[in-house]
Amino acid sequence: MAQRRTVTSRSQEPRARFAEELKALRERSGDSLRQLGDKVGWDFSMFGKMENGHTLGSADVVVALDQYFGTDTFLVTLWELALGDKSEFKEEYREYMRLESEAVSLWHFGVTRIPGMLQTRGYATEVLAAGDIRGEELARQVEARLSRAELLTRAGGPHFRTILYEAALRMALRERGAWREQLDHLLEAAEHPCVTVQVLPFSAGPCSLDSTDVMFLKLPNGRVLAYTETAHRGELIEEHTALDRLQPAYDAIRDLALSPAESRRFIGQMREEAPCDSST
């Protein structure tokens, strides 16, 4: 059988291809990054990060670039493919990420971490760096994690409920400004009509999931799965017996948690008490 020929030298990986095509279009136009920023109306440094593969940018930015280059929806199409690409995530998480992107509703309980799709850049950077990720790999992992927020803001996205154990809110970042930003982001997310944020306070006492993060996923066909994660491993659970044990445990936690309104007040109080900067 004849070997398949490669027509171009461009990458076949969606995220890398998006970056390469964007750079090629800019260079063909004769614009520098600064000139492109001035003409399109965004900070030129962001376009540099997009061309280096450090960020995908937002939908508004990519639409504006297509309009500027006269490329119809070419970049938007590549951007959507890159956004759905799970190759930036560790292999063991990719099947879960695929199912998460298809879910119609998600129910989460977090013991010590704020869920990835509600993390800010500062929070994601510190948490991932604590896992001994550095340099370019850290930058890629942060961008991959931040891209998950698109799941909640897209048209027809799932309803998302997160119940955060108080410990997840007490683990402040080293950079105090970034921690206040994360708390602000939680409060903002809690106002979204498809997002519910609740807090399980220490005063609620012990619970059966106090050492395990869990996410329930309801798929379009009505099937429910769960993904559990500890400090050392994650596991996708499909077997009914295990699900039948997890679901009542989650329901009990929801019954003990503060109401959404009480939870917003709780987080708001923590935000007011947080030091303004690391020197405070």
Side-chain angles (χ1 to χ4, degrees), residues 151-194:
L151 189 68
L152 301 181
T153 57
R154 73 186 186 192
H159 182 275
F160 178 61
R161 178 189 299 273
T162 180
I163 303 174
L164 297 173
Y165 193 42
E166 186 174 337
L169 298 171
R170 294 293 178 190
M171 190 203 71
L173 302 177
R174 295 183 181 87
E175 175 53 55
R176 297 299 187 182
W179 179 231
R180 289 169 66 89
E181 180 183 30
Q182 177 63 73
L183 293 176
D184 284 339
H185 185 63
L186 274 179
L187 290 170
E188 181 181 350
E191 298 296 331
H192 192 283
C194 290

mmCIF file of all heavy atoms in Angstrom, residues 151-194:
data_model
loop_
_atom_site.group_PDB
_atom_site.id
_atom_site.type_symbol
_atom_site.label_atom_id
_atom_site.label_comp_id
_atom_site.label_asym_id
_atom_site.label_seq_id
_atom_site.Cartn_x
_atom_site.Cartn_y
_atom_site.Cartn_z
ATOM 1 N N LEU A 151 -17.393 25.200 28.543
ATOM 2 C CA LEU A 151 -18.475 24.227 28.654
ATOM 3 C C LEU A 151 -19.707 24.844 29.313
ATOM 4 O O LEU A 151 -20.839 24.532 28.949
ATOM 5 C CB LEU A 151 -17.987 23.020 29.478
ATOM 6 C CG LEU A 151 -18.890 21.793 29.552
ATOM 7 C CD1 LEU A 151 -18.980 21.125 28.192
ATOM 8 C CD2 LEU A 151 -18.343 20.813 30.586
ATOM 9 N N LEU A 152 -19.479 25.733 30.272
ATOM 10 C CA LEU A 152 -20.589 26.313 31.037
ATOM 11 C C LEU A 152 -21.204 27.532 30.368
ATOM 12 O O LEU A 152 -22.330 27.904 30.689
ATOM 13 C CB LEU A 152 -20.099 26.697 32.441
ATOM 14 C CG LEU A 152 -19.518 25.565 33.281
ATOM 15 C CD1 LEU A 152 -19.089 26.090 34.646
ATOM 16 C CD2 LEU A 152 -20.524 24.422 33.440
ATOM 17 N N THR A 153 -20.466 28.162 29.466
ATOM 18 C CA THR A 153 -20.956 29.403 28.855
ATOM 19 C C THR A 153 -21.480 29.205 27.438
ATOM 20 O O THR A 153 -22.123 30.106 26.893
ATOM 21 C CB THR A 153 -19.828 30.458 28.831
ATOM 22 O OG1 THR A 153 -18.693 29.929 28.123
ATOM 23 C CG2 THR A 153 -19.403 30.825 30.235
ATOM 24 N N ARG A 154 -21.244 28.035 26.852
ATOM 25 C CA ARG A 154 -21.708 27.819 25.485
ATOM 26 C C ARG A 154 -23.226 27.657 25.458
ATOM 27 O O ARG A 154 -23.856 27.317 26.474
ATOM 28 C CB ARG A 154 -21.050 26.570 24.899
ATOM 29 C CG ARG A 154 -21.601 25.279 25.477
ATOM 30 C CD ARG A 154 -20.859 24.051 25.000
ATOM 31 N NE ARG A 154 -21.511 22.847 25.476
ATOM 32 C CZ ARG A 154 -20.970 21.639 25.409
ATOM 33 N NH1 ARG A 154 -19.762 21.477 24.918
ATOM 34 N NH2 ARG A 154 -21.637 20.582 25.861
ATOM 35 N N ALA A 155 -23.824 27.896 24.305
ATOM 36 C CA ALA A 155 -25.264 27.700 24.145
ATOM 37 C C ALA A 155 -25.607 26.226 24.358
ATOM 38 O O ALA A 155 -24.949 25.346 23.805
ATOM 39 C CB ALA A 155 -25.690 28.148 22.751
ATOM 40 N N GLY A 156 -26.617 25.967 25.165
ATOM 41 C CA GLY A 156 -27.024 24.593 25.424
ATOM 42 C C GLY A 156 -26.103 23.835 26.349
ATOM 43 O O GLY A 156 -26.154 22.607 26.407
ATOM 44 N N GLY A 157 -25.245 24.561 27.082
ATOM 45 C CA GLY A 157 -24.323 23.915 28.014
ATOM 46 C C GLY A 157 -25.058 23.251 29.167
ATOM 47 O O GLY A 157 -26.247 23.496 29.393
ATOM 48 N N PRO A 158 -24.363 22.405 29.929
ATOM 49 C CA PRO A 158 -25.016 21.668 31.014
ATOM 50 C C PRO A 158 -25.300 22.543 32.227
ATOM 51 O O PRO A 158 -24.692 23.601 32.412
ATOM 52 C CB PRO A 158 -23.958 20.608 31.369
ATOM 53 C CG PRO A 158 -22.656 21.302 31.077
ATOM 54 C CD PRO A 158 -22.909 22.116 29.845
ATOM 55 N N HIS A 159 -26.240 22.088 33.046
ATOM 56 C CA HIS A 159 -26.395 22.698 34.373
ATOM 57 C C HIS A 159 -25.317 22.102 35.265
ATOM 58 O O HIS A 159 -25.074 20.897 35.247
ATOM 59 C CB HIS A 159 -27.770 22.420 34.975
ATOM 60 C CG HIS A 159 -27.936 23.094 36.306
ATOM 61 N ND1 HIS A 159 -27.512 22.525 37.482
ATOM 62 C CD2 HIS A 159 -28.422 24.329 36.633
ATOM 63 C CE1 HIS A 159 -27.748 23.368 38.486
ATOM 64 N NE2 HIS A 159 -28.293 24.460 38.004
ATOM 65 N N PHE A 160 -24.653 22.964 36.027
ATOM 66 C CA PHE A 160 -23.540 22.529 36.854
ATOM 67 C C PHE A 160 -23.780 22.912 38.303
ATOM 68 O O PHE A 160 -24.052 24.070 38.618
ATOM 69 C CB PHE A 160 -22.245 23.177 36.354
ATOM 70 C CG PHE A 160 -21.026 22.832 37.171
ATOM 71 C CD1 PHE A 160 -20.593 21.530 37.293
ATOM 72 C CD2 PHE A 160 -20.309 23.833 37.823
ATOM 73 C CE1 PHE A 160 -19.470 21.210 38.043
ATOM 74 C CE2 PHE A 160 -19.185 23.531 38.570
ATOM 75 C CZ PHE A 160 -18.759 22.220 38.685
ATOM 76 N N ARG A 161 -23.722 21.917 39.185
ATOM 77 C CA ARG A 161 -23.807 22.172 40.628
ATOM 78 C C ARG A 161 -22.498 21.733 41.270
ATOM 79 O O ARG A 161 -22.044 20.607 41.064
ATOM 80 C CB ARG A 161 -24.952 21.382 41.265
ATOM 81 C CG ARG A 161 -25.060 21.568 42.802
ATOM 82 C CD ARG A 161 -26.072 20.599 43.412
ATOM 83 N NE ARG A 161 -27.392 20.819 42.868
ATOM 84 C CZ ARG A 161 -28.269 21.706 43.345
ATOM 85 N NH1 ARG A 161 -27.940 22.454 44.402
ATOM 86 N NH2 ARG A 161 -29.450 21.849 42.787
ATOM 87 N N THR A 162 -21.903 22.626 42.052
ATOM 88 C CA THR A 162 -20.738 22.237 42.828
ATOM 89 C C THR A 162 -21.014 22.493 44.301
ATOM 90 O O THR A 162 -21.545 23.531 44.669
ATOM 91 C CB THR A 162 -19.461 22.984 42.397
ATOM 92 O OG1 THR A 162 -18.363 22.539 43.202
ATOM 93 C CG2 THR A 162 -19.603 24.490 42.527
ATOM 94 N N ILE A 163 -20.702 21.498 45.117
ATOM 95 C CA ILE A 163 -20.753 21.647 46.574
ATOM 96 C C ILE A 163 -19.307 21.621 47.048
ATOM 97 O O ILE A 163 -18.600 20.632 46.851
ATOM 98 C CB ILE A 163 -21.565 20.516 47.226
ATOM 99 C CG1 ILE A 163 -22.974 20.463 46.643
ATOM 100 C CG2 ILE A 163 -21.616 20.714 48.743
ATOM 101 C CD1 ILE A 163 -23.810 19.275 47.126
ATOM 102 N N LEU A 164 -18.865 22.710 47.636
ATOM 103 C CA LEU A 164 -17.472 22.834 48.062
ATOM 104 C C LEU A 164 -17.368 22.670 49.572
ATOM 105 O O LEU A 164 -18.020 23.407 50.330
ATOM 106 C CB LEU A 164 -16.926 24.209 47.659
ATOM 107 C CG LEU A 164 -16.878 24.493 46.153
ATOM 108 C CD1 LEU A 164 -16.491 25.940 45.904
ATOM 109 C CD2 LEU A 164 -15.909 23.544 45.472
ATOM 110 N N TYR A 165 -16.591 21.696 49.999
ATOM 111 C CA TYR A 165 -16.293 21.558 51.419
ATOM 112 C C TYR A 165 -15.533 22.805 51.861
ATOM 113 O O TYR A 165 -14.745 23.380 51.100
ATOM 114 C CB TYR A 165 -15.460 20.294 51.638
ATOM 115 C CG TYR A 165 -15.337 19.849 53.075
ATOM 116 C CD1 TYR A 165 -16.431 19.882 53.943
ATOM 117 C CD2 TYR A 165 -14.135 19.366 53.568
ATOM 118 C CE1 TYR A 165 -16.322 19.458 55.250
ATOM 119 C CE2 TYR A 165 -14.008 18.928 54.879
ATOM 120 C CZ TYR A 165 -15.110 18.989 55.720
ATOM 121 O OH TYR A 165 -14.996 18.568 57.020
ATOM 122 N N GLU A 166 -15.774 23.240 53.084
ATOM 123 C CA GLU A 166 -15.154 24.479 53.549
ATOM 124 C C GLU A 166 -13.630 24.444 53.402
ATOM 125 O O GLU A 166 -12.998 25.488 53.172
ATOM 126 C CB GLU A 166 -15.539 24.741 55.007
ATOM 127 C CG GLU A 166 -15.052 26.079 55.528
ATOM 128 C CD GLU A 166 -15.553 26.404 56.924
ATOM 129 O OE1 GLU A 166 -16.590 25.853 57.345
ATOM 130 O OE2 GLU A 166 -14.892 27.211 57.600
ATOM 131 N N ALA A 167 -13.042 23.255 53.492
ATOM 132 C CA ALA A 167 -11.586 23.140 53.349
ATOM 133 C C ALA A 167 -11.106 23.658 52.000
ATOM 134 O O ALA A 167 -10.006 24.211 51.881
ATOM 135 C CB ALA A 167 -11.152 21.686 53.529
ATOM 136 N N ALA A 168 -11.934 23.473 50.943
ATOM 137 C CA ALA A 168 -11.557 23.952 49.619
ATOM 138 C C ALA A 168 -11.470 25.469 49.576
ATOM 139 O O ALA A 168 -10.707 26.035 48.787
ATOM 140 C CB ALA A 168 -12.563 23.457 48.588
ATOM 141 N N LEU A 169 -12.235 26.128 50.427
ATOM 142 C CA LEU A 169 -12.221 27.584 50.481
ATOM 143 C C LEU A 169 -11.197 28.123 51.470
ATOM 144 O O LEU A 169 -10.811 29.288 51.394
ATOM 145 C CB LEU A 169 -13.618 28.099 50.863
ATOM 146 C CG LEU A 169 -14.729 27.761 49.875
ATOM 147 C CD1 LEU A 169 -16.087 28.131 50.454
ATOM 148 C CD2 LEU A 169 -14.501 28.468 48.550
ATOM 149 N N ARG A 170 -10.771 27.289 52.394
ATOM 150 C CA ARG A 170 -9.775 27.726 53.378
ATOM 151 C C ARG A 170 -8.348 27.583 52.848
ATOM 152 O O ARG A 170 -7.431 28.150 53.433
ATOM 153 C CB ARG A 170 -9.916 26.905 54.670
ATOM 154 C CG ARG A 170 -11.218 27.125 55.422
ATOM 155 C CD ARG A 170 -11.293 28.519 55.985
ATOM 156 N NE ARG A 170 -12.554 28.775 56.669
ATOM 157 C CZ ARG A 170 -12.951 29.981 57.077
ATOM 158 N NH1 ARG A 170 -12.176 31.039 56.862
ATOM 159 N NH2 ARG A 170 -14.120 30.128 57.676
ATOM 160 N N MET A 171 -8.161 26.823 51.768
ATOM 161 C CA MET A 171 -6.828 26.660 51.207
ATOM 162 C C MET A 171 -6.516 27.864 50.319
ATOM 163 O O MET A 171 -6.753 27.872 49.116
ATOM 164 C CB MET A 171 -6.721 25.371 50.395
ATOM 165 C CG MET A 171 -5.294 25.043 49.985
ATOM 166 S SD MET A 171 -5.193 23.961 48.532
ATOM 167 C CE MET A 171 -5.714 25.074 47.225
ATOM 168 N N ALA A 172 -5.979 28.909 50.923
ATOM 169 C CA ALA A 172 -5.678 30.127 50.183
ATOM 170 C C ALA A 172 -4.433 29.941 49.327
ATOM 171 O O ALA A 172 -3.614 29.053 49.557
ATOM 172 C CB ALA A 172 -5.476 31.291 51.155
ATOM 173 N N LEU A 173 -4.294 30.797 48.304
ATOM 174 C CA LEU A 173 -3.112 30.789 47.461
ATOM 175 C C LEU A 173 -1.996 31.602 48.100
ATOM 176 O O LEU A 173 -2.230 32.444 48.965
ATOM 177 C CB LEU A 173 -3.453 31.385 46.093
ATOM 178 C CG LEU A 173 -4.567 30.696 45.309
ATOM 179 C CD1 LEU A 173 -4.838 31.447 44.013
ATOM 180 C CD2 LEU A 173 -4.232 29.248 45.021
ATOM 181 N N ARG A 174 -0.766 31.361 47.639
ATOM 182 C CA ARG A 174 0.358 32.164 48.123
ATOM 183 C C ARG A 174 0.201 33.616 47.694
ATOM 184 O O ARG A 174 0.538 34.529 48.440
ATOM 185 C CB ARG A 174 1.677 31.588 47.601
ATOM 186 C CG ARG A 174 2.006 30.195 48.133
ATOM 187 C CD ARG A 174 3.362 29.718 47.618
ATOM 188 N NE ARG A 174 3.680 28.385 48.110
ATOM 189 C CZ ARG A 174 3.299 27.259 47.515
ATOM 190 N NH1 ARG A 174 2.598 27.324 46.393
ATOM 191 N NH2 ARG A 174 3.621 26.085 48.012
ATOM 192 N N GLU A 175 -0.309 33.808 46.492
ATOM 193 C CA GLU A 175 -0.561 35.154 45.989
ATOM 194 C C GLU A 175 -1.954 35.583 46.429
ATOM 195 O O GLU A 175 -2.964 35.114 45.910
ATOM 196 C CB GLU A 175 -0.449 35.162 44.454
ATOM 197 C CG GLU A 175 -0.817 36.476 43.802
ATOM 198 C CD GLU A 175 -0.072 37.657 44.371
ATOM 199 O OE1 GLU A 175 1.182 37.626 44.379
ATOM 200 O OE2 GLU A 175 -0.751 38.602 44.834
ATOM 201 N N ARG A 176 -2.015 36.473 47.418
ATOM 202 C CA ARG A 176 -3.306 36.831 48.016
ATOM 203 C C ARG A 176 -4.238 37.510 47.024
ATOM 204 O O ARG A 176 -5.454 37.319 47.056
ATOM 205 C CB ARG A 176 -3.080 37.745 49.231
ATOM 206 C CG ARG A 176 -2.301 37.082 50.358
ATOM 207 C CD ARG A 176 -3.017 35.866 50.897
ATOM 208 N NE ARG A 176 -2.346 35.321 52.078
ATOM 209 C CZ ARG A 176 -2.732 34.243 52.722
ATOM 210 N NH1 ARG A 176 -3.799 33.592 52.318
ATOM 211 N NH2 ARG A 176 -2.063 33.797 53.775
ATOM 212 N N GLY A 177 -3.663 38.327 46.122
ATOM 213 C CA GLY A 177 -4.506 38.975 45.126
ATOM 214 C C GLY A 177 -5.185 37.959 44.233
ATOM 215 O O GLY A 177 -6.360 38.103 43.874
ATOM 216 N N ALA A 178 -4.462 36.902 43.880
ATOM 217 C CA ALA A 178 -5.035 35.850 43.046
ATOM 218 C C ALA A 178 -6.122 35.093 43.797
ATOM 219 O O ALA A 178 -7.104 34.632 43.198
ATOM 220 C CB ALA A 178 -3.935 34.890 42.581
ATOM 221 N N TRP A 179 -5.954 34.953 45.119
ATOM 222 C CA TRP A 179 -6.971 34.261 45.915
ATOM 223 C C TRP A 179 -8.257 35.079 45.981
ATOM 224 O O TRP A 179 -9.358 34.551 45.816
ATOM 225 C CB TRP A 179 -6.438 33.988 47.311
ATOM 226 C CG TRP A 179 -7.419 33.304 48.227
ATOM 227 C CD1 TRP A 179 -7.764 33.695 49.478
ATOM 228 C CD2 TRP A 179 -8.175 32.110 47.963
ATOM 229 N NE1 TRP A 179 -8.685 32.824 50.011
ATOM 230 C CE2 TRP A 179 -8.958 31.840 49.094
ATOM 231 C CE3 TRP A 179 -8.251 31.253 46.871
ATOM 232 C CZ2 TRP A 179 -9.817 30.755 49.173
ATOM 233 C CZ3 TRP A 179 -9.124 30.166 46.943
ATOM 234 C CH2 TRP A 179 -9.885 29.926 48.087
ATOM 235 N N ARG A 180 -8.132 36.388 46.171
ATOM 236 C CA ARG A 180 -9.326 37.243 46.167
ATOM 237 C C ARG A 180 -10.008 37.196 44.798
ATOM 238 O O ARG A 180 -11.236 37.169 44.701
ATOM 239 C CB ARG A 180 -8.939 38.678 46.517
ATOM 240 C CG ARG A 180 -8.548 38.866 47.977
ATOM 241 C CD ARG A 180 -7.909 40.225 48.219
ATOM 242 N NE ARG A 180 -8.849 41.306 48.009
ATOM 243 C CZ ARG A 180 -9.645 41.812 48.967
ATOM 244 N NH1 ARG A 180 -9.605 41.323 50.193
ATOM 245 N NH2 ARG A 180 -10.462 42.803 48.699
ATOM 246 N N GLU A 181 -9.215 37.152 43.738
ATOM 247 C CA GLU A 181 -9.761 37.055 42.390
ATOM 248 C C GLU A 181 -10.538 35.746 42.219
ATOM 249 O O GLU A 181 -11.605 35.718 41.592
ATOM 250 C CB GLU A 181 -8.628 37.133 41.368
ATOM 251 C CG GLU A 181 -9.101 37.050 39.923
ATOM 252 C CD GLU A 181 -7.952 37.052 38.936
ATOM 253 O OE1 GLU A 181 -6.852 36.558 39.293
ATOM 254 O OE2 GLU A 181 -8.151 37.530 37.810
ATOM 255 N N GLN A 182 -10.017 34.650 42.796
ATOM 256 C CA GLN A 182 -10.712 33.369 42.696
ATOM 257 C C GLN A 182 -12.041 33.402 43.444
ATOM 258 O O GLN A 182 -13.061 32.897 42.945
ATOM 259 C CB GLN A 182 -9.830 32.244 43.243
ATOM 260 C CG GLN A 182 -10.488 30.872 43.248
ATOM 261 C CD GLN A 182 -10.838 30.372 41.862
ATOM 262 O OE1 GLN A 182 -9.966 29.981 41.092
ATOM 263 N NE2 GLN A 182 -12.123 30.381 41.523
ATOM 264 N N LEU A 183 -12.056 33.995 44.621
ATOM 265 C CA LEU A 183 -13.308 34.111 45.362
ATOM 266 C C LEU A 183 -14.315 34.978 44.610
ATOM 267 O O LEU A 183 -15.511 34.669 44.557
ATOM 268 C CB LEU A 183 -13.036 34.679 46.756
ATOM 269 C CG LEU A 183 -12.225 33.775 47.698
ATOM 270 C CD1 LEU A 183 -11.943 34.508 49.005
ATOM 271 C CD2 LEU A 183 -12.943 32.460 47.971
ATOM 272 N N ASP A 184 -13.831 36.073 44.018
ATOM 273 C CA ASP A 184 -14.709 36.920 43.204
ATOM 274 C C ASP A 184 -15.300 36.127 42.042
ATOM 275 O O ASP A 184 -16.479 36.274 41.705
ATOM 276 C CB ASP A 184 -13.928 38.118 42.650
ATOM 277 C CG ASP A 184 -13.670 39.194 43.701
ATOM 278 O OD1 ASP A 184 -14.397 39.220 44.716
ATOM 279 O OD2 ASP A 184 -12.744 40.003 43.504
ATOM 280 N N HIS A 185 -14.459 35.302 41.439
ATOM 281 C CA HIS A 185 -14.914 34.512 40.285
ATOM 282 C C HIS A 185 -15.979 33.500 40.702
ATOM 283 O O HIS A 185 -16.948 33.275 39.962
ATOM 284 C CB HIS A 185 -13.717 33.793 39.663
ATOM 285 C CG HIS A 185 -14.055 33.054 38.408
ATOM 286 N ND1 HIS A 185 -14.505 33.688 37.260
ATOM 287 C CD2 HIS A 185 -14.030 31.721 38.113
ATOM 288 C CE1 HIS A 185 -14.738 32.779 36.324
ATOM 289 N NE2 HIS A 185 -14.460 31.585 36.813
ATOM 290 N N LEU A 186 -15.819 32.902 41.876
ATOM 291 C CA LEU A 186 -16.841 31.984 42.380
ATOM 292 C C LEU A 186 -18.173 32.700 42.573
ATOM 293 O O LEU A 186 -19.237 32.174 42.216
ATOM 294 C CB LEU A 186 -16.388 31.371 43.705
ATOM 295 C CG LEU A 186 -15.508 30.129 43.662
ATOM 296 C CD1 LEU A 186 -15.153 29.706 45.083
ATOM 297 C CD2 LEU A 186 -16.181 28.986 42.918
ATOM 298 N N LEU A 187 -18.114 33.886 43.150
ATOM 299 C CA LEU A 187 -19.339 34.650 43.370
ATOM 300 C C LEU A 187 -19.997 35.029 42.051
ATOM 301 O O LEU A 187 -21.220 34.983 41.912
ATOM 302 C CB LEU A 187 -19.028 35.911 44.184
ATOM 303 C CG LEU A 187 -18.648 35.662 45.651
ATOM 304 C CD1 LEU A 187 -18.128 36.943 46.290
ATOM 305 C CD2 LEU A 187 -19.844 35.123 46.432
ATOM 306 N N GLU A 188 -19.181 35.390 41.075
ATOM 307 C CA GLU A 188 -19.708 35.729 39.750
ATOM 308 C C GLU A 188 -20.330 34.502 39.090
ATOM 309 O O GLU A 188 -21.416 34.575 38.507
ATOM 310 C CB GLU A 188 -18.588 36.289 38.874
ATOM 311 C CG GLU A 188 -19.041 36.698 37.475
ATOM 312 C CD GLU A 188 -17.901 37.233 36.632
ATOM 313 O OE1 GLU A 188 -16.805 37.466 37.177
ATOM 314 O OE2 GLU A 188 -18.107 37.399 35.408
ATOM 315 N N ALA A 189 -19.646 33.356 39.182
ATOM 316 C CA ALA A 189 -20.160 32.123 38.580
ATOM 317 C C ALA A 189 -21.487 31.725 39.217
ATOM 318 O O ALA A 189 -22.380 31.203 38.534
ATOM 319 C CB ALA A 189 -19.142 30.997 38.738
ATOM 320 N N ALA A 190 -21.614 31.959 40.510
ATOM 321 C CA ALA A 190 -22.831 31.571 41.225
ATOM 322 C C ALA A 190 -24.062 32.340 40.742
ATOM 323 O O ALA A 190 -25.196 31.923 40.998
ATOM 324 C CB ALA A 190 -22.639 31.796 42.726
ATOM 325 N N GLU A 191 -23.848 33.455 40.046
ATOM 326 C CA GLU A 191 -24.964 34.237 39.506
ATOM 327 C C GLU A 191 -25.423 33.722 38.149
ATOM 328 O O GLU A 191 -26.466 34.134 37.648
ATOM 329 C CB GLU A 191 -24.541 35.713 39.375
ATOM 330 C CG GLU A 191 -24.181 36.379 40.690
ATOM 331 C CD GLU A 191 -25.361 36.459 41.648
ATOM 332 O OE1 GLU A 191 -26.515 36.525 41.156
ATOM 333 O OE2 GLU A 191 -25.138 36.445 42.867
ATOM 334 N N HIS A 192 -24.638 32.831 37.545
ATOM 335 C CA HIS A 192 -25.010 32.295 36.231
ATOM 336 C C HIS A 192 -26.239 31.396 36.390
ATOM 337 O O HIS A 192 -26.296 30.570 37.311
ATOM 338 C CB HIS A 192 -23.840 31.501 35.647
ATOM 339 C CG HIS A 192 -24.002 31.150 34.205
ATOM 340 N ND1 HIS A 192 -24.824 30.131 33.779
ATOM 341 C CD2 HIS A 192 -23.463 31.691 33.077
ATOM 342 C CE1 HIS A 192 -24.785 30.050 32.467
ATOM 343 N NE2 HIS A 192 -23.955 30.979 32.004
ATOM 344 N N PRO A 193 -27.223 31.499 35.506
ATOM 345 C CA PRO A 193 -28.459 30.716 35.670
ATOM 346 C C PRO A 193 -28.266 29.202 35.607
ATOM 347 O O PRO A 193 -29.110 28.459 36.115
ATOM 348 C CB PRO A 193 -29.342 31.202 34.512
ATOM 349 C CG PRO A 193 -28.404 31.846 33.532
ATOM 350 C CD PRO A 193 -27.297 32.416 34.349
ATOM 351 N N CYS A 194 -27.171 28.745 35.012
ATOM 352 C CA CYS A 194 -26.948 27.297 34.896
ATOM 353 C C CYS A 194 -25.893 26.788 35.871
ATOM 354 O O CYS A 194 -25.453 25.637 35.766
ATOM 355 C CB CYS A 194 -26.539 26.934 33.470
ATOM 356 S SG CYS A 194 -27.873 27.120 32.272
#
